[in-house]
């Protein structure tokens, strides 16, 4: 399958937003945003950052996976050290960055000096820094005791690379070496607003770092202040700063954990200032990603009069991106792919097919890439991880497989990378459907995952929560988890795959297909439309038809069509769990319709609309529908005919106009 990650219009729009911000003209450092991109699991956050890393590789660049660092037991100390390490990497035509003030504080924090006797600690720090009276040069070796102490704190991180960020002080005269080091310490003290100078200040940093949590946070603040002060000096005061044509790009993945939250909070405080300490600008363009809002963002939102609408950061076409200010952060949502993007990726899949491979039915699909894009978008609604998995699965079928079989059979195809040995085939391997669900619901506990299929039978999370019989036998703790995490169920692709699991369930309790829909229909009470929806889901087509037929002349056509549109979005079971052609299923459901002409027309219309997918102009276009029922939209002609029949049978001129408009919507293919 073609590698399309990072090349969607969505990702290009984010890069277009960042491009002018990364460029720099000589002069004072400007004001740069800290951008937080929020996206659900599988939304392409990590992939986007990898794409931006390739794009910005000519600039000073740092890319941290903060969740991975937390798993490895790393602290903010390690994160700051890693930022300095990556940003100082030498690149062609880019003046090197150095971090002298930061390095002095970094080493002082990890030095092994007395923690009980301050005068003794100061004397020990002086000895470590000056290296004794018998040395004739001040070198890396002189700093080795400091390095050993810092390495012990950082789990061995420093010795392998610290000489790259510590400008080595060498001199034939010990006095010059001491003078240069003292200047460096004085500068570090000044950069972070230290009240004392020399070894006294460095001992304070050391004691803060090894103190209580509040003291450790102050040490981390001092380290960040020194880090930013070094960057400002490199961009504004040092020789060669006029050659710096780009800012520094900092990419922070998974910034919603404790480490990411602490780093963002420190950065925002350093930029805006806090009581007693003024803020300063810096040359960091920060792009962070997160699945959930970090506490830093929650705190920023509390200061606002109204919560921002982060979806407003996208233009109507989804081609332009501008994050929404939220206090001191700028926040955007990583939207799902739109239909045009899915069509573009589908075009690449078709172009990569081997010679002689079967292609989509050109006679019925007109434009095969538009058709395939429509089918895949209908199945995934642009969810990036699912879209990639479906396109990959479609390309892995044997070359002679017809495309309607492919689009109906991809959920059961073995997941990519499944072992093919005889021994491996004896074990059950995950399907594409399993792999997609495992990824998108990886944050759910095993207990919650087990009850999500029954919840997928509900129209919404609220309806599921309000149906007590649906949760019979489910522990209260799991119900509370559903209240927190149930929203993920109602993305159409997640719901479709969970319903396939519900379909395979045994018994007649609330964990079975009929049991779940019965519990939800009972909970609907006087809401007859919702009850009819669940009657249809239980294959009781006649019951749903009776309700719609009874309303045909009693409500305006516009309202009647809205009822129809909602009811025909009901989930559908497949006999034996296998796909069935659209015409065969329609014939099986309708059979020989009974009743008067009106009722027969309603029967055929409801059955056809239940099977097929609908135009984007449908009032419930964003809701669930069967994405695999009618891949060539063969039933559109049936639907248009029945709307024309109802137009002829209605008694109102206004209603006739409504039914005529509905028929027109189904006279053209949806792609």
């Amino acid at each position: 399958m073609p590698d399309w990650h990072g090349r969607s219009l969505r990702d290009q729009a984010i890069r277009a937003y960042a491009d002018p911000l990364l460029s720099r003209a000589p002069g004072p450092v400007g004001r740069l945003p800290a951008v937080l991109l929020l996206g659900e699991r599988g939304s392409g956050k990590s992939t986007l950052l990898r794409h931006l890393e390739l794009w910005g590789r000519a600039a000073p660049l740092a890319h941290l996976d903060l969740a991975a660092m937390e798993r490895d037991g790393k602290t903010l100390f390690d994160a700051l050290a890693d930022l300095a390490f990556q940003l100082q990497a030498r690149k062609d035509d880019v003046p090197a960055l150095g971090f002298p003030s930061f390095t002095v504080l970094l080493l002082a924090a990890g030095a092994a000096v007395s923690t009980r006797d301050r005068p003794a600690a100061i004397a020990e720090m002086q000895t470590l820094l000056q290296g004794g009276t018998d040395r004739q040069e001040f070198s890396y070796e002189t700093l080795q005791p400091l390095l050993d102490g810092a390495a012990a704190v950082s789990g061995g991180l420093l010795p392998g690379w610290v000489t790259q960020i510590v400008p080595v002080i060498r001199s034939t005269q010990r006095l010059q070496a001491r003078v240069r080091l003292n200047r460096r310490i004085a500068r570090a003290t000044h950069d972070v607003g230290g009240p004392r100078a020399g070894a006294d200040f460095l001992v304070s940093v050391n004691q803060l770092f090894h103190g209580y949590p509040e003291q450790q946070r102050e040490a981390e603040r001092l380290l960040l202040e020194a880090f930013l002060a070094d960057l400002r000096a490199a961009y504004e005061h040092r020789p060669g700063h006029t050659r710096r044509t780009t800012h520094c790009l900092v990419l922070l993945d998974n910034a919603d954990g404790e480490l990411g939250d602490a780093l963002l909070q420190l950065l925002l405080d350093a930029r805006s200032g806090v009581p007693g300490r003024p803020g300063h600008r810096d040359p960091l363009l920060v792009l962070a990603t997160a699945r959930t809002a970090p506490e830093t963002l929650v705190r920023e939102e509390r200061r606002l009069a109204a919560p921002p609408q982060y979806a407003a950061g996208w233009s109507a076409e989804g081609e332009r991106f501008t994050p929404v200010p939220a206090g001191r952060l700028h926040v955007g949502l990583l939207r799902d792919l739109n239909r045009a993007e899915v069509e573009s990726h589908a075009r690449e899949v078709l172009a990569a097919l081997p010679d002689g491979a079967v292609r989509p039915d050109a006679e019925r699909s007109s434009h095969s890439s538009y058709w395939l894009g429509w089918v895949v978008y209908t199945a995934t609604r642009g969810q990036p991880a699912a879209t990639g998995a479906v396109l990959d699965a479609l390309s892995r079928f044997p070359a002679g497989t017809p495309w309607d079989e492919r689009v109906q059979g991809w959920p059961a195809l073995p997941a990519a990378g499944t072992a093919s040995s005889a021994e491996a085939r004896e074990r059950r391997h995950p399907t594409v459907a399993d792999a997609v669900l495992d990824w998108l619901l990886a944050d759910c506990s095993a207990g919650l995952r087990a009850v999500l299929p029954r919840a997928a039978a509900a129209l919404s999370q609220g309806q599921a929560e309000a149906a007590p019989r649906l949760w019979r036998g489910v522990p209260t703790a799991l119900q509370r988890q559903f209240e927190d995490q149930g929203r993920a169920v109602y993305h159409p692709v997640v719901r479709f795959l969970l319903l396939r699991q519900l379909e395979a369930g045994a018994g007649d309790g609330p964990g079975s297909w009929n049991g779940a829909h019965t519990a939800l229909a009972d909970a609907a009470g006087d809401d007859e439309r919702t009850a009819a929806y669940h009657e249809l889901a239980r294959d009781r087509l006649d019951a749903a038809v009776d309700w719609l037929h009874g309303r045909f002349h009693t409500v305006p056509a516009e309202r009647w069509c809205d009822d129809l549109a909602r009811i025909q979005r009901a989930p559908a079971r497949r006999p034996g769990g296998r796909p069935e052609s659209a015409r065969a299923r329609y014939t099986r459901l309708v059979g020989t319709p009974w009743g008067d002409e009106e009722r027969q027309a309603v029967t055929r219309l409801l059955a056809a609309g239940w099977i097929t997918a609908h135009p984007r102009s449908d009032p419930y276009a964003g809701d669930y529908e069967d994405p695999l029922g009618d891949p060539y939209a063969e039933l559109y002609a049936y639907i248009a005919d029945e709307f024309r029949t109802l137009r002829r049978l209605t008694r109102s001129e206004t209603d006739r106009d409504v039914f005529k408009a509905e028929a027109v919507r189904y006279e053209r293919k949806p792609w």
Side-chain angles (χ1 to χ4, degrees), residues 57 75 89 102 107 133 158 231 252 263 416 587 634:
R57 62 185 180 274
T75 66
F102 173 72
L107 298 180
T133 58
L158 295 177
L231 284 173
L252 304 176
L263 184 55
T587 300
E634 296 175 278

Side-chain angles (χ1 to χ4, degrees), residues 337-391:
L337 306 178
N338 60 35
R339 182 171 164 184
E341 291 169 294
V342 177
E343 286 176 358
S344 175
H345 304 324
R347 190 176 301 114
E348 295 185 44
V349 168
L350 294 175
L353 290 175
D355 293 339
V358 171
R359 295 181 177 273
D361 190 327
E363 180 181 352
R364 289 191 287 181
S365 63
S366 299
H367 302 285
S368 57
S369 62
Y370 295 158
W371 171 80
L372 183 57
W374 170 74
V375 168
V376 174
Y377 182 78
T378 301
T380 69
R381 302 301 172 87
Q383 205 289 325
T387 299
V390 173
L391 287 171

Side-chain angles (χ1 to χ4, degrees), residues 7-29:
R7 295 191 288 111
S8 66
L9 292 176
R10 183 197 73 175
D11 294 357
Q12 291 175 18
I14 295 173
R15 192 181 74 181
Y17 162 77
D19 199 1
L21 295 172
L22 188 61
S23 300
R24 173 185 181 265
V29 172

Side-chain angles (χ1 to χ4, degrees), residues 392-435:
D392 175 69
L394 294 174
S395 69
R396 290 192 290 110
F397 277 90
T401 307
W403 280 80
D404 56 342
E405 293 183 19
R406 297 189 194 212
V407 300
Q408 290 188 325
W410 66 260
L413 192 73
T418 297
S420 57
S421 66
E423 180 183 354
R425 283 196 296 270
E426 293 178 0
R427 303 191 303 271
R428 181 186 180 277
H429 292 294
T431 63
V432 174
D434 295 331

Side-chain angles (χ1 to χ4, degrees), residues 83-96:
L83 283 176
F85 171 56
Q86 293 188 43
L87 289 175
Q88 59 76 48
R90 295 187 178 275
K91 299 183 178 182
D92 294 341
D93 302 321
V94 178

Side-chain angles (χ1 to χ4, degrees), residues 119-143:
I122 293 173
E124 291 169 6
M125 184 71 74
Q126 288 173 333
T127 301
L128 288 171
L129 293 172
Q130 294 175 1
T133 58
D134 58 342
R135 287 190 178 271
Q136 296 303 309
E137 70 173 3
F138 190 89
S139 65
Y140 168 76
E141 289 76 17
T142 309
L143 296 177

